[in-house]
Amino acid sequence: MMRYVPMMVTCKEAHGFLDDYLAGELPTKQRIVFDWHIKMCNCCKQYLDTYQQSIALCRDNFYDSEEDCEDIPEQIVQGIVAAKRTGGD
Amino acid sequence: MDGWRQNAYAEVDESELVRKIVEGDEAGFEYLVRRFGGRMLAVARRITGNEADAQDCLQEALLKSYSNIGQFQGRSGLNTWLHRIVVNVSLMRLRSQKRAREDSLDPLLPDFDGHGMRVGDAPIAGVEEIEEMYEQGRTRAAVRAAIERLPNDYRAIVIARDIEQLNTSETAQLLGISTSLVKTRLHRARAALKRLLDPVEI
Ligand SMILES: [Zn+2]
């Protein structure tokens, strides 16, 4: 729909800007082009939204501060202390 | 070590504990292992995906922290410092182990037509399981299953960049690859994760 107009990029080209855009590292001119594309193109707008959501989802759900707060088995403690004694200094 | 003697360390603040360990206080090191080891083991397990590697990484990380404890500045807490070390060791481990079978990411990447326009995604195998976990409210399991599907090299980059929030050059340095490779792989990995975690077609 917008591919022959100057200052416009295709979805594929806009897609290539995604990560720099999210990192705030897209040069001004490209950012304007990207913003414009996102405003006009529902597919890419939706893609950008879910792309961001999935990054946040990974960040927030990979660890689990409650579940990951376990006691260390005694034999592992002893193994490490022994390894330090023999290997270390 | 006697329980009461180990408990005595709980009263000691972190810089004091570090000082004791630097001076060669064995019980102090043992306390550090006990106090922080469980959490570090859980982190190593999340990253490497298996218990044996996780235990190896924990040991390596703790021995490394023992050798380097003199460099602990106290600017961040001991917990954060140790976390960073076990993450580094585990990511290196993840990178070095090639899995027997690694699925290509290509089927998970978005498609464009000859004019560079987006086209709908073709169905992919295995997404239903992740979708089901989602529907059952098991978001963490869904996220971990999606990340687990990435080849190790890509998984290491997603963990470094998006979970540990290292920047591109820190990640490149840690994994011993170029910044441009970090960027292209991160992009492919994010696109694949987006696809796996967002079963709704565009
Ligand atoms: Zn578009």
Side-chain angles (χ1 to χ4, degrees), chain A residues 37-65:
Chain A
H37 186 97
I38 293 299
K39 201 174 268 180
M40 304 304 290
C41 177
N42 212 25
C43 291
C44 285
K45 167 84 178 88
Q46 216 174 5
Y47 191 93
L48 172 65
D49 289 345
T50 49
Y51 191 80
Q52 272 181 293
Q53 282 162 18
S54 118
I55 293 170
L57 206 58
C58 290
R59 186 192 59 223
D60 297 340
N61 290 282
F62 185 69
Y63 296 124
D64 183 340
S65 51

Side-chain angles (χ1 to χ4, degrees), chain A residues 19 57 59 63 68 74, chain B residues 34 46 134 164 187 190:
Chain A
D19 299 280
L57 206 58
R59 186 192 59 223
Y63 296 124
D68 292 350
E74 188 56 31
Chain B
R34 241 181 258 283
R46 297 274 180 234
Y134 246 145
E164 295 297 333
H187 179 68
R190 280 174 168 180

Side-chain angles (χ1 to χ4, degrees), chain B residues 103-111 121-125 149 188 192 195:
Chain B
D103 292 332
S104 164
L105 280 188
D106 292 342
L108 297 173
L109 301 181
D111 271 336
D121 294 323
I124 39 170
R149 267 193 68 164
R188 288 166 62 86
R195 182 73 200 287

Side-chain angles (χ1 to χ4, degrees), chain B residues 76-89:
Chain B
S76 58
L78 206 41
N79 191 33
T80 308
W81 189 71
L82 292 167
H83 175 82
R84 183 66 71 225
I85 295 174
V86 76
V87 165
N88 289 0
V89 169

